[in-house]
Amino acid sequence: MISETGQDWKIAALMIFIYVHFLFYKKGDKMVKNSEYYMKKALIEAYKAFNSNEVPVGAVIVKDGKIIAKSFNLKDSKNSVTKHAELIAIEKVSKKINNWRLSDCTMYVTLQPCPMCASAINQARLFKIVYGASANSVESSEIFNKIFSDSNTIIEKDVLSEDCSLILKKFFSNIR
């Protein structure tokens, strides 16, 4: 885990990279890829956003145990309200598989999706969504829950939530 006390964030990003690639879960000689493994991959994307002065949210989409899309927020650098990590990842996968229906895919995202992204995820019919940090707003969480109330999408929450929250706290403390 990363401490908040004055660490250089580029060094911290390198630590996460090493942690993900060398301290992953093993069972015999096979690597076990679980929700924490993929969330660490999403955290790497969030660090890319952090280092680009974007709100540090990262997302990866997995199909058949393989990452088929990675993304991070580009809202400010692209001057577009739709350049959230989740939407970029969905667009990449849809182009790659030539289909907007992603019912055999799982998305891992470092922050609970906003209502716009949650609606897109629901429309894309993702099999599962896994998120780290919960939304800061009660209203946003309520809308998220309402969007998925009649959905077949499986929701897994609070995966590496402390790490996912910490990078967001650090980002917003730097701009205040």
Side-chain angles (χ1 to χ4, degrees), residues 9 34 36 44 49 74 77 94 112 117 120 128 130 147-148:
W9 281 92
N34 60 14
E36 286 189 5
I44 289 171
L74 293 170
S77 61
S94 294
Q112 181 181 21
C117 292
K128 183 176 181 180
V130 180
I147 288 168
F148 289 104

Side-chain angles (χ1 to χ4, degrees), residues 21-63:
H21 287 88
F22 299 109
L23 299 177
F24 47 74
Y25 300 90
K26 283 194 166 204
K27 188 174 188 177
D29 285 338
K30 284 191 144 188
M31 183 170 41
V32 177
K33 295 180 180 177
N34 60 14
S35 293
E36 286 189 5
Y37 172 85
Y38 292 114
M39 189 60 73
K40 289 173 190 170
K41 296 291 189 180
L43 270 167
I44 289 171
E45 296 302 307
Y47 278 99
K48 291 177 185 177
F50 184 93
N51 289 330
S52 300
N53 293 318
E54 294 279 356
V55 175
V57 176
V60 298
I61 296 180
V62 176
K63 180 179 178 180

Side-chain angles (χ1 to χ4, degrees), residues 81-118:
V81 297
T82 62
K83 294 300 182 188
H84 290 206
E86 302 95 322
L87 299 181
I88 296 167
I90 288 171
E91 189 173 321
K92 285 180 177 181
V93 172
S94 294
K95 285 182 181 177
K96 186 178 264 186
I97 67 171
N98 199 30
N99 196 341
W100 62 267
R101 292 175 192 87
L102 309 180
S103 57
D104 53 355
C105 297
T106 298
M107 177 183 286
Y108 297 84
V109 61
T110 56
L111 178 63
Q112 181 181 21
C114 71
M116 175 179 67
C117 292

